[in-house]
Amino acid sequence: QGQLMESGGGSVQPGGSLRLSCAALGYTQSRQCMAWFRQIPGKEREGIAVMYTVGGRTALSKLAESVRGRFTISQDSAKPSVYLQMNNLRSEDTAMYYCALNEYCGHSNWYLPRTYNTWGQGTQVTVSA
C-alpha cells in the first residue's frame, strides 16, 4: 500500500517559491497515481495537481486552473516520488498541502479525495507579507 512522507512546506512572501516533495515508501506497483491537494480550515480539500504513470510512462498529468501557469508537478516513478514546484505564490495559496496516492485514477476523478486510499500527513504552506 505504501506510506507517504511529505516535506518542503514553509512560509514565504507573495511572489516567492516553494517546492514540495512526497515519497511513497514501500509502494511497489507499476501504476502510480500521485496527486497534491490543499485544504483551508472549514473548506473542502481541493485537488490541484496529479501525475499518473503506468510502467514509468505518464498517462495523465493535470493542474487545476487555480494553479496553472504557476505550479508544476513532476514525478520520479522509480522511487516513487512526486514534486510540486510552486512559483509566484499568492496569499490565497496559503493552506495545508497533502500528497495522495492510489493505484488508479482518471480524467474524471483525479481531483476527488475519495479516489485516493493513501494520504500524507500534510505540510503547511503560508504566503504572507
Side-chain angles (χ1 to χ4, degrees):
Q1 197 81 324
Q3 177 185 0
L4 300 178
M5 298 292 291
E6 299 155 343
S7 61
S11 296
V12 66
Q13 293 185 341
S17 298
L18 285 172
R19 185 174 189 250
L20 305 183
S21 300
C22 174
L25 307 178
Y27 188 82
T28 59
Q29 301 299 317
S30 62
R31 293 176 178 264
Q32 309 157 8
C33 182
M34 299 187 76
W36 287 99
F37 285 74
R38 65 185 182 185
Q39 190 169 25
I40 301 169
K43 294 210 169 184
E44 291 186 358
R45 200 164 287 194
E46 176 192 12
I48 58 171
V50 66
M51 187 163 280
Y52 178 35
T53 57
V54 179
R57 293 188 173 185
T58 301
L60 175 67
S61 180
K62 287 275 195 181
L63 291 165
E65 188 173 349
S66 58
V67 303
R68 203 172 298 153
R70 301 185 297 122
F71 292 11
T72 304
I73 187 169
S74 60
Q75 189 179 35
D76 183 342
S77 60
K79 291 186 178 181
S81 297
V82 66
Y83 309 95
L84 188 68
Q85 178 66 42
M86 306 185 293
N87 297 329
N88 193 20
L89 283 160
R90 305 167 179 168
S91 57
E92 54 263 40
D93 295 317
T94 296
M96 184 71 78
Y97 284 69
Y98 296 91
C99 178
L101 169 68
N102 197 57
E103 188 175 357
Y104 301 94
C105 68
H107 288 273
S108 62
N109 67 1
W110 71 266
Y111 52 89
L112 300 174
R114 66 173 182 261
T115 298
Y116 302 88
N117 57 21
T118 304
W119 291 85
Q121 78 283 0
T123 184
Q124 178 68 35
V125 171
T126 302
V127 185
S128 67

